[in-house]
Amino acid sequence: VYMYREKVNIPPLKSYITIEGAGTDKTIVKWGDTAQTPGPNGRPLGTYGSATFAVNSPYFLAKNITFQVSK
């Protein structure tokens, strides 16, 4: 089981990215932010800023992977 505890943001200029895991029960990306988590400026991140895995680029594909919010 691969467990990655990190926040991921794929920017708009990074296109044609594919992420493939070893299976939805074996590859899990986790992060624990919520809309109320304080950001760098001390104010809440809000819904958009609290994403565990944010993709803003075209032609993104994810296969055999789970994205999970942890506490």
Side-chain angles (χ1 to χ4, degrees), residues 1 4 7-9 11 13-14 17 28 32 37 41 47 54 57 60 68:
V1 174
Y4 302 97
K7 189 171 186 145
V8 178
N9 183 13
L13 297 177
K14 301 287 184 178
I17 292 178
I28 303 167
T37 301
N41 61 4
T47 302
S57 66
F60 173 79
Q68 190 175 74

Side-chain angles (χ1 to χ4, degrees), residues 17-23 27 60-65:
I17 292 178
T18 298
I19 294 177
E20 185 169 1
T27 308
F60 173 79
L61 179 62
K63 298 192 290 187
N64 300 317
I65 191 166

Side-chain angles (χ1 to χ4, degrees), residues 36-61:
Q36 297 305 314
T37 301
N41 61 4
R43 296 193 317 231
L45 291 171
T47 302
Y48 181 79
S50 67
T52 296
F53 197 99
V55 178
N56 297 296
S57 66
Y59 309 106
F60 173 79
L61 179 62

